[in-house]
DNA sequence: TTTAATATTAAACATGCGTTCAACAGATCC
DNA sequence: GGATCTGTTGAACGCATGTTTAATATTAAA
């Protein structure tokens, strides 16, 4: 196929570039993250990457092929960053909103989750498993309430954790925030309170949902 | 020269067939709820309503006009049912998943929330206000933890409450459930536990997030 | 019955989409 | 020098979309 010897290559004219494919892929991830898969057009990606629409297809076969390539790329970025940060929760979270490429990667994942595609399901399954391991083994010194149905519990928590990112735009309008960091800062104390103590102060007297824990 | 201009408000013609328009509108709500606004086609709606595509446009002016009509219709359905059920929480919830029309109305709302349209924002704002009133005044005998930032707290809780519906498809795949009722039944105990007691059992020793509440 | 207005349809129109194609420009190898 | 392969483009193709139009069917009024 294509031999990419870095040292035998000298800087050349706009032709001959393994960079080009990467440029297209980066533009595609950004476009998909912003508009979702359906509304994103090949022409739009080509324009963002400053190439012709035909070249996009030439490199990735089809729009779906490009999507698959984006999936792999984003998955690598996310997992590699997760490995680097290991158990440093706050650091990882901060990174997700500070590093712009990581931020678009997260947006990409969210859009994948909302599209009814298999890729998004893979991400979600992976995420639920991760949450389940955190719930059982603890995470960064935190321990969690145990349940008879750890998988259901993990799915519940996972969904809750994803919700603010999914409805970010709606939250911005309601809270008057302008970027992700501001919004998350505003939400953080309430999320912490919810996770630490719940939301309900007292139940009706005739309720049987009292404190009959195991 | 046919004038279909939106010139006057009283377009109520003496000989209109209200059944047909209503049939189209019902079909449209269902299609929008299932596939979202963008992926839903006028031809698809027309087929579902067993009419010609042209008639859809004739009755509602455009696809966007049809969407607006759907918005009003769904909004009426939701609010009228909410008024009927007043403070009977469980009853209202059950109705949402038992009454098929109410169920598609909810799906429609969720899709509206994910589309970056103004309509969805109206719904969300309304919902956050509702949650805020519940948080301050209580709801069906329940009282809730008070916060210095009730609006932010309401937004947080609202987002959490919407999350399972938004990710319903993803949850079905993870939990092996097949309909909304099964899924919600599976989630219910964990949601209850979260809302009653939170999710975190203990924090790291060096953490300053202890129980220093106001 | 005649007339006018609406309800409805099939076909056509205009546009935007993903994709294909023919041609060209460099690079590599003989 | 060709010969050949790849990167790249601009134009075109085929198709699906939202919408328009011309014509027909139906209804109500005169």
């Amino acid at each position: 196929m294509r031999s990419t010897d870095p040292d035998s290559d000298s800087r050349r004219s706009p032709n001959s570039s393994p960079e080009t494919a990467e440029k297209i892929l980066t533009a595609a991830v950004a476009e998909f993250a912003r508009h979702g898969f359906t509304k994103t057009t090949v022409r739009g990606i080509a324009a963002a990457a400053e190439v012709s629409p035909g070249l996009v297809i030439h490199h990735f076969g089809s729009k779906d092929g490009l999507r698959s390539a984006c999936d792999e790329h984003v998955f690598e970025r996310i997992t590699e960053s997760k490995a680097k940060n290991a158990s440093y929760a706050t650091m990882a979270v901060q990174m997700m909103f500070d590093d712009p490429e990581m931020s678009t990667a997260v947006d990409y994942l969210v859009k994948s989750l909302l599209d009814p595609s298999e890729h998004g399901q893979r991400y979600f399954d992976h995420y639920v498993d991760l949450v389940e391991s955190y719930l059982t083994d603890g995470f960064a010194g935190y321990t969690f309430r145990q349940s008879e149905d750890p998988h259901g519990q993990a799915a519940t928590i996972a969904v809750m954790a994803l919700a603010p990112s999914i409805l970010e735009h709606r939250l911005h309008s309601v809270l008057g925030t302008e970027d992700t960091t501001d919004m998350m800062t505003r939400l953080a104390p309430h999320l912490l309170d919810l996770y630490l103590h719940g939301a309900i102060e007292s139940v009706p007297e005739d309720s049987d949902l009292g404190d009959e824990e195991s």
Side-chain angles (χ1 to χ4, degrees), chain A:
Chain A
M1 292 297 279
R2 161 167 44 103
S3 66
T4 44
D5 294 344
D7 33 9
S8 75
D9 264 11
S10 54
R11 284 287 168 203
R12 291 196 217 89
S13 29
N15 197 0
S16 155
S17 59
E19 305 170 354
T20 309
E22 196 171 336
K23 190 168 63 174
I24 293 175
L25 198 141
T26 304
V29 171
E31 291 289 300
F32 286 148
R34 217 180 307 279
H35 308 113
F37 181 74
T38 308
K39 289 200 214 169
T40 297
T41 72
V42 173
R43 284 174 171 82
I45 294 170
E50 295 174 310
V51 297
S52 71
L55 192 60
V56 175
I57 301 296
H58 174 255
H59 275 298
F60 297 94
S62 67
K63 189 187 175 186
D64 258 304
L66 177 54
R67 187 222 177 96
S68 296
C70 288
D71 278 321
E72 283 189 33
H73 182 255
V74 168
F75 193 79
E76 285 173 13
R77 281 292 154 138
I78 290 281
T79 52
E80 115 191 347
S81 116
K82 199 174 284 167
K84 266 197 296 191
N85 292 282
S87 59
Y88 298 90
T90 24
M91 190 171 154
V93 170
Q94 251 182 352
M95 260 203 57
M96 288 216 175
F97 301 120
D98 284 354
D99 180 5
E101 188 179 349
M102 197 55 58
S103 167
T104 70
V106 170
D107 285 347
Y108 182 94
L109 281 188
V110 167
K111 285 296 189 322
S112 259
L113 244 44
L114 300 180
D115 251 316
S117 75
E118 307 161 17
H119 310 283
Q121 191 61 49
R122 237 185 49 210
Y123 291 133
F124 188 68
D125 295 350
H126 189 265
Y127 188 59
V128 171
D129 286 346
L130 191 70
V131 169
E132 187 171 346
S133 76
Y134 288 162
L135 289 177
T136 59
D137 302 337
F139 174 73
Y142 292 85
T143 67
F144 301 93
R145 294 176 64 82
Q146 299 301 305
S147 159
E148 300 170 1
D149 172 23
H151 206 57
Q153 186 193 16
T156 305
I157 303 292
V159 164
M160 298 291 145
L162 289 169
S165 292
I166 293 176
L167 292 176
E168 174 170 357
H169 266 99
R170 256 70 245 222
L171 283 168
H172 280 157
S173 175
V174 157
L175 300 176
T177 50
E178 300 220 328
D179 58 34
T180 309
T181 307
D182 285 354
M183 187 212 72
M184 283 299 181
T185 304
R186 179 81 178 276
L187 250 53
H190 305 111
L191 290 172
L192 193 64
D193 192 65
L194 175 64
Y195 287 140
L196 277 177
H197 307 107
I200 297 176
E201 182 76 42
S202 73
V203 302
E205 287 190 359
D206 59 345
S207 168
D208 59 345
L209 301 175
D211 273 296
E212 32 179 338
E213 319 168 24
S214 61

